[in-house]
Amino acid sequence: MVVYRILAINPGSTSTKIGYFEDERCFFKESIRHGETEKAAGSSPEREASIRRQAILDLLAKRSIVFENLSALVVRGGLLKPLSSGTYLVDKKIYKDLAEAAYGWHASNLGAIIALPLAGDLDIPVYTVDPVTVDEFEKTARYSGLKDLPRLSMSHALNMKAMARRAAAGIGKKYEESNLVVVHLGSGISVSAHRRGRMIDVNNANEEGPFSMERCGTLPALGLVRLCFSGKFCGEEMIGLLTSRGGIYSYLGTREFSQVRRMIADGSRQAEDVVEALVYQVAKEVGAMAAVLKGVVDGTVLTGGMANDQQLADQITEHISFIAPVMVFPGEEELEALAAGALRVLRGEEKALRY
C-alpha cells in the first residue's frame, strides 16, 4: 500500500511552522523562530526564503527525514488573484505573483518561494490549499454601496474550510451538503457563510466586520473620512491604525487576550465592556450570515486562537445558539488542513487545480 509523505510549510512574520505527515498521521509539528538578525538579512523575498529554506533542511536532517522520499510539499498560500477553493499546483505563475507581490505582500507569500526551489528537479509536486484570496462570492455579495469600492473576499479560508468539513462530518453530513456559519477568532475575525461547500460570503477582516484584538472592523464611514483628512495621519499611518492599532488594542493597550482577562479579574469595568462589545459584534455578524443562508443553518463553528478562551466562546454561544447548534474547535489546524488538501489530490479524490 502506498504511503504518502507530505511536508507542510506555513510561514508567518516571525516563524515558519513545519509539519511532517505520512497519510493522515502527523509525525511532528515544529515552529522555527526567525530572529531579527535573520530577517534583516532577508533584504528580498528570495533572500528571506533562502534563509528559511536552509532552516527547514536543517530541521529535516535533525529529524532524519530524507527529503527525496517526500511525495509532496504543501504551503500556505499568500496573496494571489481571487480564485476558487481547492488545492492548486504551485507553478512559476504562482511563484512570480507571490515573489513580486502582485496582489500585495504577506508573510504567507514566502511559502511558494521557499518550496518551489526545494522541489527543484526531484519531480516532487508543490501544492497550496485554500489561499486567503479564495473567492466564492455570489454576485450580490460584491456590492458595497459605492460603485468604486466592491467588496473583496479575503479571509482565513484555509482554517475555516477545514473546520467546516470537520463540523459537517460531526453532524453526519458532507461539507457539500451542509449550510454552516464559521467564525475564525484570531488577530482578525472572519465570519463566513458556507452553503453546500461554497463560502458565499465573508467579511474581509482587514476592513469590515467585528473588531478584534488589533483590527478596527467596520467603522462609521463619515467619521473615518473626517479622521483621514484631519491632518493627524498620513495614508500609511491610517492603514496601520486600522489594521494593527485598532480594536481591543486601541481601547486597552494590549494585544494579548489573556491580559484582558487579567484586567477584568482586577476589576476593570472598561475591559469588561470592551469584551462584551466584541461578543456583541461577532454575534451580530453571525446573525447576518445566517440571514445570507436564509435561516437554514446546520451549525455554527467557533475556531481560531481566541476560541481557546472558554468564557468568550460561552458568551458568544449565549447570543447565537438560537440559530443553530454551536461547535467550538479552538486554535487553528492549518498544517493539518494543508496536508489533507495535498493528500486528497495524491489519492485521486480531487484534481489539482491550475492557477
Side-chain angles (χ1 to χ4, degrees):
M1 185 176 178
V2 177
V3 174
Y4 292 108
R5 298 175 176 86
I6 301 168
L7 183 69
I9 302 172
N10 183 0
S13 58
T14 60
S15 67
T16 303
K17 295 177 182 177
I18 302 297
Y20 173 70
F21 298 79
E22 292 187 3
D23 293 336
E24 290 89 355
R25 183 182 175 190
C26 179
F27 275 78
F28 72 84
K29 292 193 291 185
E30 195 158 333
S31 184
I32 303 171
R33 304 297 299 181
H34 303 293
E36 290 303 317
T37 302
E38 288 180 291
K39 290 183 67 60
S43 56
S44 70
E46 285 86 356
R47 176 60 181 150
E48 184 167 350
S50 175
I51 294 169
R52 296 190 187 214
R53 193 180 303 125
Q54 188 58 53
I56 291 169
L57 290 173
D58 292 344
L59 174 61
L60 294 180
K62 179 182 174 182
R63 291 279 190 167
S64 300
I65 303 297
V66 179
F67 186 85
E68 289 77 6
N69 290 343
L70 293 174
S71 307
L73 301 175
V74 60
V75 300
R76 186 181 177 202
L79 299 180
L80 296 165
K81 67 182 180 182
L83 37 71
S84 297
S85 173
T87 299
Y88 286 79
L89 183 68
V90 174
D91 56 17
K92 291 181 180 179
K93 292 180 182 177
I94 287 181
Y95 184 101
K96 183 174 184 291
D97 278 359
L98 293 176
E100 295 179 358
Y103 298 92
W105 180 255
H106 186 269
S108 57
N109 284 30
L110 288 166
I113 307 172
I114 292 168
L116 203 58
L118 268 178
D121 299 323
L122 296 175
D123 200 29
I124 299 173
V126 180
Y127 300 112
T128 187
V129 183
D130 291 335
V132 297
T133 51
V134 164
D135 184 349
E136 298 174 326
F137 274 13
E138 297 187 333
K139 182 170 61 177
T140 49
R142 302 187 188 281
Y143 284 79
S144 68
L146 188 64
K147 183 180 178 181
D148 294 331
L149 292 175
R151 293 184 65 237
L152 301 176
S153 180
M154 189 173 293
S155 68
H156 303 87
L158 177 63
N159 189 53
M160 290 195 299
K161 283 272 185 175
M163 295 303 100
R165 290 178 182 276
R166 180 175 168 183
I171 59 175
K173 288 188 172 186
K174 294 180 179 179
Y175 174 50
E176 293 77 14
E177 300 170 341
S178 307
N179 282 3
L180 300 161
V181 177
V182 183
V183 183
H184 181 99
L185 299 164
S187 56
I189 294 178
S190 297
V191 185
S192 53
H194 299 244
R195 188 177 67 197
R196 295 191 296 276
R198 293 180 63 82
M199 188 169 64
I200 61 172
D201 201 353
V202 63
N203 66 284
N204 180 337
N206 275 336
E207 55 189 54
E208 57 184 14
F211 69 79
S212 62
M213 287 305 303
E214 58 183 16
R215 301 184 194 175
C216 293
T218 301
L219 294 174
L222 295 182
L224 179 59
V225 170
R226 294 188 185 101
L227 187 60
C228 287
F229 287 92
S230 66
K232 297 180 180 178
F233 308 98
C234 69
E236 288 302 313
E237 289 171 334
M238 279 301 304
I239 291 172
L241 182 65
L242 299 178
T243 59
S244 64
R245 299 195 303 280
I248 286 178
Y249 178 78
S250 72
Y251 291 107
L252 302 177
T254 180
R255 294 183 174 88
E256 298 294 331
F257 197 70
S258 58
Q259 177 63 27
V260 177
R261 283 291 179 219
R262 286 193 288 272
M263 291 179 181
I264 293 173
D266 290 341
S268 171
R269 180 61 194 175
Q270 183 188 19
E272 191 172 345
D273 288 345
V274 168
V275 172
E276 287 179 0
L278 183 146
V279 168
Y280 176 89
Q281 290 198 4
V282 171
K284 188 164 65 170
E285 195 74 13
V286 170
M289 293 302 169
V292 167
L293 296 171
K294 300 180 180 178
V296 183
V297 185
D298 295 307
T300 300
V301 179
L302 304 181
T303 185
M306 289 173 66
N308 283 297
D309 188 285
Q310 185 63 53
Q311 188 175 349
L312 179 67
D314 289 344
Q315 287 177 281
I316 296 172
T317 299
E318 184 179 358
H319 280 267
I320 64 175
S321 59
F322 75 95
I323 297 171
V326 179
M327 293 163 272
V328 182
F329 303 141
E332 49 83 13
E333 297 183 4
E334 291 181 334
L335 290 172
E336 290 83 353
L338 289 171
L343 186 60
R344 289 193 295 271
V345 169
L346 291 171
R347 286 177 170 171
E349 297 169 1
E350 292 181 9
K351 288 186 177 181
L353 302 174
R354 290 281 184 169
Y355 184 58

